[in-house]
Amino acid sequence: MSATTEKFAKASIPSVNADIQLKDIIKTLPRECFQKDRRKAWSFLFINVLAVSLGYVGIATLPWFLLPLAWIFTGTALTGFFVLAHDCGHRSFAKRRWVNDWVGHIMTLPLIYPFHCWRILHDRHHLHTNKLLIDNAWDPWTLEDYTQTNPFVRRFYQALRGRFWWLGSIAHWAVLHFDLSQFPERDRAKVKVSIASVVIFAAVFFPTLIATTGIWGFVKFWLLPWLVYHFWMSTFTLVHHTAPNIQFRPAETWSAAEAQLAGTVHCTYPRWVEFLCHDINVHVPHHICVAIPSYNLRMAHESLKQNWGSHIQESKFSWALMKEIGDRCHLYHPEKAYQSFKDIQR
């Protein structure tokens, strides 16, 4: 057993008392956590735009052997664009709804991500976090679903739950966010506006980029930073709620307090990643209450550790962590949380 495996095997997070409601946890947070600060919000947006601009200057001017560093930096900064849109989607960026919607759309345009489509589907994730067959973010298949699906889809699932986890966000983006059937009728007008906005942007931007810089320019300036962005999106969202001891639960036994507090993971990344991505890794307080702006997440996390520390799950980003998740967290198991593909082959 590896050191990482042993650590996970020993991890024991006490279950949250059934009498505790999510509102009881929210009441323990300082009031300052929920306060919007216009100066901070727009300052971080301005810094993020500067970081992305710096990244593209690097891509345009650096010698070829430094381009991978420029792609990594730019893609990570573009992930910051998405996190700002994430605040907008939860109405925690600005007080006015129309400001949140405009900023959210602008931040997600370069990523070809339809804002309202993501916002509505993401709200579903928050309402049903770790609820089996209902949560739409890295929810594990049951053994029955896995064995009954066709072999091609099964292989695709195996890849995304294994060493190709970093492509998971692309699959989620492509399969769900442009499908009108995923959205209730009342939301479809907004959804269509968001889809139209990214389609028009792509129809103008991509031909212009290719005409001025060629196919290599398209790959260099857009595709590779976009792939880095999806690497972080896939990684963040997978690690947020996945560990060998985090149990997805059927609706009849599911508890919001347990799912949001003990089923959400705080993961530490290199500080430059956390800075460019606006502390999205400080994820437990965000699931306790989506109204907390990103710049107040650390304050809220410290409060949660003081009051609910025994229930907080923490990890550190590393290859060992991703290997552990990719090797073990494959299919739902009602007692052990997960069973691996190797387990069912034995």
Side-chain angles (χ1 to χ4, degrees):
M1 182 180 290
S2 69
T4 306
T5 303
E6 187 175 3
K7 180 185 72 174
F8 278 123
K10 290 181 178 179
S12 178
I13 301 296
S15 59
V16 178
N17 191 303
D19 295 331
I20 295 175
Q21 304 294 312
L22 198 56
K23 63 183 179 181
D24 299 322
I25 304 172
I26 294 173
K27 288 178 182 178
T28 67
L29 291 169
R31 211 175 258 187
E32 293 81 4
C33 294
F34 306 98
Q35 292 178 355
K36 297 183 181 72
D37 187 315
R38 182 185 302 173
R39 181 185 61 81
K40 286 183 179 179
W42 289 100
S43 294
F44 281 121
L45 187 148
F46 179 70
I47 291 169
N48 207 156
V49 171
L50 284 181
V52 171
S53 301
L54 178 63
Y56 280 118
V57 169
I59 292 173
T61 60
L62 288 173
W64 65 268
F65 55 86
L66 292 179
L67 281 177
L69 295 178
W71 290 327
I72 291 170
F73 178 86
T74 307
T76 307
L78 285 170
T79 309
F81 272 18
F82 189 90
V83 178
L84 290 171
H86 178 263
D87 270 17
C88 292
H90 288 300
R91 312 311 189 191
S92 61
F93 180 83
K95 294 181 180 179
R96 298 182 184 275
R97 183 177 293 260
W98 70 266
V99 176
N100 286 308
D101 285 348
W102 271 99
V103 173
H105 276 91
I106 292 170
M107 292 291 100
T108 51
L109 277 180
L111 307 171
I112 316 300
Y113 227 117
F115 173 70
H116 282 309
C117 304
W118 165 80
R119 179 181 63 80
I120 294 164
L121 290 177
H122 186 66
D123 283 347
R124 189 184 305 170
H125 162 62
H126 275 275
L127 284 172
H128 304 288
T129 302
N130 294 9
K131 188 182 291 183
L132 188 66
L133 304 179
I134 300 178
D135 190 358
N136 58 7
W138 290 105
D139 51 318
W141 287 7
T142 64
L143 179 59
E144 182 181 11
D145 290 337
Y146 176 76
T147 55
Q148 290 182 357
T149 193
N150 71 70
F152 176 78
V153 176
R154 195 184 308 157
R155 288 293 181 89
F156 188 67
Y157 179 80
Q158 287 175 348
L160 294 185
R161 297 299 304 206
R163 298 302 168 81
F164 289 89
W165 88 88
W166 46 276
L167 295 174
S169 174
I170 298 176
H172 191 264
W173 162 79
V175 171
L176 296 180
H177 293 81
F178 298 90
D179 179 2
L180 291 179
S181 69
Q182 296 289 330
F183 307 95
E185 190 65 38
R186 69 178 183 274
D187 293 322
R188 288 188 182 175
K190 290 182 177 180
V191 163
K192 289 176 181 177
V193 168
S194 293
I195 292 175
S197 67
V198 297
V199 168
I200 292 170
F201 178 86
V204 174
F205 175 69
F206 288 159
T208 303
L209 182 62
I210 293 171
T212 54
T213 65
I215 295 297
W216 171 237
F218 170 79
V219 172
K220 182 171 73 168
F221 286 104
W222 186 80
L223 181 59
L224 289 170
W226 184 76
L227 289 175
V228 172
Y229 151 72
H230 274 290
F231 168 86
W232 286 122
M233 279 290 292
S234 301
T235 302
F236 288 148
T237 54
L238 177 62
V239 172
H240 281 164
H241 303 284
T242 310
N245 65 331
I246 291 181
Q247 182 77 60
F248 273 67
R249 298 195 185 278
E252 56 270 18
T253 60
W254 180 84
S255 159
E258 180 181 43
Q260 312 295 16
L261 180 63
T264 304
V265 178
H266 172 91
C267 186
T268 301
Y269 292 80
R271 193 67 192 98
W272 67 274
V273 174
E274 296 179 353
F275 175 76
L276 288 175
C277 297
H278 307 290
D279 290 333
I280 192 61
N281 59 297
V282 186
H283 207 61
V284 181
H286 173 64
H287 265 268
I288 297 303
C289 182
V290 298
I292 302 173
S294 56
Y295 44 81
N296 289 337
L297 289 173
R298 290 189 180 275
M299 179 200 310
H301 184 72
E302 289 306 311
S303 173
L304 289 173
K305 286 183 70 173
Q306 290 175 16
N307 293 292
W308 306 92
S310 63
H311 302 288
I312 301 293
Q313 304 235 29
E314 295 188 320
S315 62
K316 185 175 182 180
F317 176 67
S318 66
W319 169 246
L321 172 68
M322 303 313 299
K323 182 177 183 298
E324 189 68 23
I325 293 173
D327 287 350
R328 295 181 62 190
C329 300
H330 298 155
L331 298 167
Y332 166 77
H333 191 282
E335 285 88 32
K336 298 187 297 183
Y338 287 98
Q339 55 188 326
S340 70
F341 298 127
K342 288 183 179 179
D343 289 338
I344 64 173
Q345 291 169 0
R346 293 192 182 110

